[in-house]
Amino acid sequence: LFLATLTYDTLRFEYEDFPETKEPVWILGRKYSVFTEKEEILLDVTSRLWFTYRKNFPAIGGTGPTSDTGWGCMLRCGQMIFAQALVCRHLGRDWRWIKGKRQMDNYFNVLNAFIDKKDSYYSIHQIAQMGVGEGKSIGQWYGPNTVAQVLKKLATFDTWSSLAVHIAMDNTVVMEEIRRLCQSNLPCAGAAACPALESDVLYNGYPDEPGVRDRLVLWKPLVLLIPLRLGLTEINEAYIETLKHCFMMPQSLGVIGGKPNSAHYFIGYVGEELIYLDPHTTQPAVEPGDSGCLPDESFHCQHPPCRMSIAELDPSIAVGFFCNTEADFNDWCQQIKKLALVRGALPMFELVERQPSHFSNPDVLNLTPDSSDADRLERFFDSEDEDFEILSL
């Protein structure tokens, strides 16, 4: 097991640059030309938060693993798609990371939420331990649905971001459910209601006294995750055009999924290839420096991103979207409705106004489905993937 992991981890891939093609490059809702905007493409990719395997972090649960090599790839992909939501929430889609440039404090607030320690909102420790409630033992591989359910639970503790997280099950997005969830009219932390000025936050830390400027908000920013199965053992070609269109939407958070034996975070496509960030590199855990500042270069992929044929994608995925305002959500709904009319694009999920009478509603009490439903869904979404992951170790 150790030798296999070591061999996989120490391989050095030749990262190919983008192909010289007239096809547009789409990165999380942004369209680029390889010929005139290559630097902008690479800067956009580098600016995404990149979470990989780490080693020598504090033991999970005090006595558990100190590395997630070999089992944490989907957990890291879950971190990446959720980190993109927090970046959009607190920094904006236009924000860029430039090596050596001092970043605003909210950037470090976001990054700190994912650091490998037990008290970070979305750390590997929190995800692994919260996964026990979803039937996953610490160190067990997750599928896209499990990591989505766990992140939803963890987000309830993140009062700074104050997100409404909805997981659309049974291939159906119910607009009424989402509006009820987001139009909660509950007090919202000031940092979430109106972006804080740099002078209002602690450097490299979370905002001080987040409840000081509480106010009512009409819409809690939405993170929408949709677990899907787009085929039996391989992706059905009829879904490929629809999947491409998801990366074209300005609300796109990307897709988590991968090849049968490893999880990736897909952020765009060019031609018939998906563009993704790969978590399968083991890096040392990061600790704050003597000045208290967190070294952040290892959280940004500074080589051209990986690419793979869309046809190689495992059919078990989760698609993510972020709607900061109600207008964003309404616009997204209109785009999905128009997408259903595109010739040759088979819808991946259904968008309906009201919940069909035969559906259960897990969001009424902000709960995940009961254990029997969760077990059934996990068998459905993860049966292929877990077998392949075990073999890959």
Side-chain angles (χ1 to χ4, degrees):
L1 175 63
F2 175 75
L3 289 176
T5 303
L6 183 65
T7 302
Y8 181 79
D9 246 5
T10 52
L11 284 174
R12 287 293 172 261
F13 301 100
E14 291 295 326
Y15 293 104
E16 297 180 10
D17 207 345
F18 277 94
E20 297 294 321
T21 174
K22 294 181 180 179
E23 295 275 3
V25 176
W26 285 94
I27 304 289
L28 299 174
R30 298 297 168 89
K31 183 180 181 181
Y32 297 100
S33 165
V34 173
F35 294 111
T36 61
E37 300 174 293
K38 184 176 290 187
E39 291 302 315
E40 288 86 345
I41 295 171
L42 296 177
L43 181 59
D44 196 348
V45 172
T46 299
S47 297
R48 300 316 106 211
L49 284 172
W50 180 45
F51 297 118
T52 70
Y53 291 149
R54 296 277 175 171
K55 61 183 179 180
N56 301 326
F57 51 65
I60 297 175
T63 58
T66 58
S67 171
D68 62 311
T69 299
W71 60 270
C73 56
M74 183 58 80
L75 283 70
R76 296 300 186 179
C77 290
Q79 286 182 319
M80 284 190 271
I81 197 170
F82 224 75
Q84 180 58 23
L86 264 63
V87 165
C88 291
R89 174 77 183 88
H90 298 291
L91 302 171
R93 178 63 182 89
D94 292 330
W95 169 82
R96 295 292 182 266
W97 179 85
I98 298 175
K99 184 176 180 180
K101 178 182 177 181
R102 185 187 186 280
Q103 291 294 334
M104 64 182 69
D105 297 333
N106 272 358
Y107 161 74
F108 287 104
N109 295 338
V110 170
L111 185 55
N112 267 318
F114 297 89
I115 295 301
D116 301 320
K117 55 183 182 181
K118 64 179 182 180
D119 55 348
S120 295
Y121 290 135
Y122 309 103
S123 66
I124 193 83
H125 299 66
Q126 294 279 13
I127 297 175
Q129 291 185 287
M130 186 66 78
V132 174
E134 294 292 325
K136 296 290 186 180
S137 58
I138 294 175
Q140 187 175 357
W141 197 81
Y142 286 23
N145 177 57
T146 298
V147 78
Q149 299 287 354
V150 167
L151 288 166
K152 174 183 174 179
K153 288 183 175 181
L154 292 175
T156 62
F157 302 98
D158 181 5
T159 54
W160 176 57
S161 299
S162 190
L163 298 169
V165 182
H166 180 77
I167 301 173
M169 302 305 299
D170 298 307
N171 298 350
T172 305
V173 177
V174 183
M175 291 181 279
E176 184 181 61
E177 271 184 17
I178 291 174
R179 290 196 177 97
R180 183 174 61 247
L181 182 66
C182 294
Q183 294 170 343
S184 57
N185 277 337
L186 294 176
C188 173
C194 49
L197 299 173
E198 278 200 60
S199 59
D200 294 331
V201 294
L202 297 176
Y203 181 71
N204 203 15
Y206 296 111
D208 193 17
E209 300 181 17
V212 168
R213 292 166 294 160
D214 282 3
R215 52 173 284 190
L216 292 177
V217 290
L218 299 178
W219 179 271
K220 292 178 71 174
L222 170 69
V223 175
L224 174 60
L225 300 173
I226 312 172
L228 298 167
R229 186 87 184 188
L230 304 181
L232 294 177
T233 58
E234 56 187 35
I235 186 171
N236 185 329
E237 289 183 4
Y239 293 118
I240 288 178
E241 284 305 311
T242 315
L243 182 62
K244 287 181 178 180
H245 273 79
C246 287
F247 292 109
M248 298 165 66
M249 297 179 184
Q251 298 86 353
S252 175
L253 289 177
V255 173
I256 54 175
K259 298 178 181 179
N261 64 342
S262 57
H264 302 312
Y265 172 42
F266 298 95
I267 58 174
Y269 79 94
V270 54
E272 298 304 313
E273 291 184 315
L274 292 172
I275 300 166
Y276 66 91
L277 295 178
D278 189 349
H280 297 87
T281 296
T282 301
Q283 303 186 83
V286 171
E287 293 288 340
D290 294 337
S291 64
C293 186
L294 189 71
D296 66 335
E297 287 189 20
S298 66
F299 296 101
H300 296 275
C301 184
Q302 297 176 62
H303 55 67
C306 305
R307 304 193 314 275
M308 62 173 263
S309 169
I310 299 178
E312 295 177 30
L313 182 68
D314 186 80
S316 178
I317 65 172
V319 183
F321 301 97
F322 176 76
C323 300
N324 195 43
T325 65
E326 187 172 9
D328 288 339
F329 177 65
N330 292 336
D331 176 72
W332 179 83
C333 291
Q334 290 303 313
Q335 291 183 74
I336 295 298
K337 291 174 182 177
K338 290 178 182 177
L339 185 53
L341 304 176
V342 175
R343 183 185 299 274
L346 186 66
M348 298 188 300
F349 53 87
E350 186 179 6
L351 180 66
V352 298
E353 179 62 42
R354 292 179 179 81
Q355 186 182 68
S357 58
H358 61 279
F359 276 22
S360 61
N361 184 10
D363 266 334
V364 170
L365 298 176
N366 200 30
L367 300 174
T368 54
D370 64 36
S371 57
S372 60
D373 286 343
D375 290 344
R376 174 178 59 82
L377 290 166
E378 275 313 300
R379 286 195 296 271
F380 181 66
F381 282 107
D382 298 343
S383 57
E384 295 284 343
D385 307 282
E386 287 184 6
D387 291 341
F388 280 119
E389 186 70 6
I390 291 169
L391 288 174
S392 73
L393 298 179

